C-alpha cells in the first residue's frame, strides 16, 4: 500500500475510535512490557557461567482478517508485542473489500504500531506469499494471526517450508459456565459476542440451574434481533451447545476436556474454581454492572491476543514476548 493511502485512513475514522485504539495500544504495551526479564547469570559449576537470553524473530508476518469482520484489534494485539520484542521487520497482509480498499481502522492501527509494510492480500495466498516471498511481499520467518479454515490450513502447511507459526488460531469459540448467581442477560451477551464473529464460531453454554438455562436462551433470542451481524450469529448458534450439568465441578471437568479458546465465568462467587480450571486460553471471571466479562475485552480495556482454538489450548500458548 502507498503512504498516501495509509495517511488518508486517519481522516476516515472518528476521533472516538482513534482514542480507543490509542488506549488499547497503551494497555497492551503495559501488559507485554511486564513480561520482559532481566538476564540472570548462574554459575552451575565453579568457573562455568550459564544464562538464557531471548532474541526477537527478525522478520515476522501478521495476518489480519478483513472480510466480514475487519479485526483492527488484532493488529494491536500482534504488532505491539512484536515491537516490544525487537522484531526488525513486520509485514502485514489483510484482504481488501470488493472495492479494493482496506478498512481504515486497520490502516490507522498498523501505522500507529510501526508496521513495515502493508499488503492487500488475504486467504491462503497471503500465507503462501509470506512463506515463500514474492516480488512485492517479503518472506518472513514466523507468521502470526487468526483466520478461517483455509488460512489455518495454509499456516500449518507453511511449516513444511521452514516457516514457524504462532498457533492454529481458527474460528472464535467461547465456553460460558453459569451458576445460579449468573445473570442470564450477561450470559447471552457473552455468547453472542463470539457467535457474531462468523458462522463457523462455536459457543457452548453450561449451567447447573434450569432457570438460568431457560432465561439465557430467551435473552439470546431477544438480543440477537438488534445485532448488526445477527445472520452470522444465528448460523453459529445452530452448531452450538447448551448443556445442564449436576455440579460446577462437572462443568469444570468438561471445560478441561473441551479446552476452550475462552472460558467465561459470569458469577460473583466460586472464584476458587479458577485454580481448578487449567485448560483455556483466556479466563474471564466475574460480573460487571454494565457488561458481562467476556464482552468487556472487546473494548480497549484488556490486552487479549489471538489464542489457540479447537481444543489445542492444552498444547499451544497464546502470544507472549
Amino acid at each position: 500500500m502507498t503512504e498516501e493511502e495509509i495517511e488518508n485512513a486517519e481522516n476516515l475514522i472518528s476521533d472516538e475510535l482513534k482514542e480507543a485504539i490509542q488506549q488499547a495500544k497503551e494497555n497492551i504495551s503495559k501488559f507485554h512490557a511486564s513480561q520482559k526479564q532481566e538476564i540472570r547469570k548462574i554459575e552451575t559449576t565453579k568457573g562455568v557461567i550459564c544464562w538464557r537470553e531471548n532474541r526477537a524473530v527478525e522478520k515476522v508476518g501478521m495476518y489480519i482478517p478483513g472480510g466480514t469482520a475487519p479485526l483492527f484489534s488484532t493488529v494491536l494485539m500482534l504488532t505491539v508485542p512484536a515491537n516490544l520484542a525487537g522484531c526488525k521487520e513486520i509485514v502485514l497482509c489483510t484482504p481488501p473489500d470488493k472495492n479494493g480498499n482496506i478498512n481504515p481502522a486497520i490502516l490507522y492501527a498498523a501505522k500507529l504500531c510501526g508496521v513495515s509494510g502493508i499488503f492487500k492480500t488475504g486467504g491462503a495466498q497471503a500465507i503462501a506469499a509470506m512463506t515463500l516471498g514474492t516480488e512485492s511481499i517479503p518472506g518472513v520467518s514466523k507468521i502470526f494471526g487468526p483466520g478461517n479454515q483455509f488460512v489455518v490450513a495454509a499456516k500449518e502447511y507453511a511449516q513444511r517450508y521452514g516457516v514457524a507459526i504462532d498457533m492454529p488460531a481458527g474460528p472464535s469459540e467461547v465456553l460460558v459456565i453459569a451458576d445460579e448467581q449468573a445473570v442470564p442477560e450477561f450470559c447471552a451477551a457473552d455468547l453472542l459476542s463470539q457467535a457474531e464473529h462468523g458462522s463457523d464460531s462455536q459457543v457452548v453454554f453450561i449451567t447447573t440451574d434450569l432457570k438460568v438455562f431457560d432465561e439465557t436462551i430467551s435473552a439470546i433470542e431477544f438480543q440477537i434481533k438488534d445485532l448488526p451481524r445477527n445472520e452470522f450469529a444465528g448460523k453459529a448458534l445452530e452448531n452450538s451447545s447448551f448443556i445442564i450439568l449436576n455440579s460446577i465441578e462437572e462443568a469444570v471437568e468438561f471445560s478441561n476436556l473441551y479446552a476452550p479458546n475462552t472460558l467465561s465465568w459470569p458469577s460473583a462467587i466460586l472464584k476458587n474454581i479458577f485454580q481448578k480450571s487449567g485448560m483455556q486460553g483466556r479466563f474471564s471471571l466475574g460480573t460487571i454492572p454494565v457488561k458481562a466479562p467476556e464482552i468487556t475485552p472487546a473494548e480497549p480495556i484488556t490486552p487479549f491476543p489471538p489464542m489457540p482454538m479447537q481444543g489445542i489450548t492444552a498444547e499451544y500458548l497464546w502470544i507472549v514476548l
Side-chain angles (χ1 to χ4, degrees):
M1 291 195 65
T2 65
E3 286 294 329
E4 184 179 0
E5 288 178 291
I6 298 172
E7 292 292 337
N8 289 339
E10 188 171 349
N11 301 321
L12 299 176
I13 60 176
S14 66
D15 290 338
E16 183 181 15
L17 181 54
K18 290 177 190 174
E19 291 176 6
I21 291 174
Q22 291 166 6
Q23 181 64 58
K25 179 178 181 292
E26 182 179 335
N27 291 343
I28 294 168
S29 296
K30 288 179 181 177
F31 178 79
H32 285 291
S34 68
Q35 298 168 20
K36 289 186 175 181
Q37 298 178 349
E38 294 183 2
I39 297 175
R40 295 182 58 192
K41 296 185 177 182
I42 306 295
E43 187 174 17
T44 56
T45 303
K46 187 174 182 180
V48 178
I49 308 298
C50 301
W51 70 91
R52 186 183 69 177
E53 184 174 339
N54 295 322
R55 299 288 179 89
V57 180
E58 289 196 1
K59 298 174 67 175
V60 294
M62 310 300 184
Y63 183 83
I64 308 299
T68 60
L71 299 182
F72 60 86
S73 59
T74 304
V75 178
L76 301 171
M77 294 171 181
L78 294 177
T79 58
V80 167
N83 273 315
L84 286 171
C87 298
K88 295 180 179 179
E89 185 172 358
I90 303 174
V91 176
L92 187 151
C93 288
T94 187
D97 61 21
K98 60 183 179 181
N99 297 316
N101 299 317
I102 301 297
N103 184 283
I106 288 180
L107 296 179
Y108 178 75
K111 178 187 175 184
L112 190 66
C113 295
V115 170
S116 308
I118 305 172
F119 300 91
K120 294 181 182 180
T121 181
Q125 57 269 33
I127 304 301
M130 290 188 286
T131 299
L132 303 173
T134 70
E135 291 182 0
S136 56
I137 302 175
V140 300
S141 300
K142 189 169 185 177
I143 298 174
F144 298 79
N148 60 24
Q149 61 267 40
F150 303 107
V151 170
V152 173
K155 285 175 64 180
E156 293 181 326
Y157 198 77
Q159 295 177 98
R160 301 187 183 187
Y161 292 86
V163 174
I165 66 170
D166 52 350
M167 68 191 80
S172 296
E173 60 188 29
V174 64
L175 168 61
V176 175
I177 298 178
D179 58 16
E180 69 279 1
Q181 299 293 322
V183 179
E185 290 78 11
F186 288 0
C187 295
D190 265 11
L191 295 164
L192 289 173
S193 71
Q194 295 297 315
E196 69 173 357
H197 281 190
S199 58
D200 55 357
S201 298
Q202 185 176 60
V203 299
V204 178
F205 179 66
I206 296 179
T207 183
T208 56
D209 189 274
L210 182 59
K211 183 171 182 288
V212 171
F213 182 89
D214 292 335
E215 291 183 0
T216 297
I217 293 177
S218 297
I220 287 175
E221 293 172 348
F222 177 77
Q223 293 180 24
I224 197 173
K225 298 175 184 177
D226 296 326
L227 283 181
R229 296 172 56 82
N230 54 19
E231 183 179 349
F232 294 100
K235 289 181 179 178
L237 289 170
E238 291 176 3
N239 299 313
S240 297
S241 302
F242 292 73
I243 304 167
I244 296 179
L245 293 179
N246 294 320
S247 67
I248 291 297
E249 286 70 26
E250 286 185 359
V252 172
E253 184 177 356
F254 178 97
S255 175
N256 286 338
L257 291 172
Y258 177 57
N261 155 253
T262 297
L263 173 60
S264 179
W265 194 291
S267 176
I269 62 173
L270 298 174
K271 292 187 178 181
N272 60 315
I273 295 295
F274 172 78
Q275 303 300 331
K276 299 180 181 179
S277 179
M279 295 301 173
Q280 68 278 324
R282 170 173 65 203
F283 196 127
S284 299
L285 174 67
T287 57
I288 297 177
V290 181
K291 299 179 178 69
E294 170 49 22
I295 61 174
T296 300
E299 299 186 29
I301 297 176
T302 50
F304 296 119
M307 289 168 290
M309 316 283 186
Q310 300 175 340
I312 61 170
T313 305
E315 304 166 24
Y316 285 82
L317 292 172
W318 62 350
I319 304 299
V320 295
L321 285 186

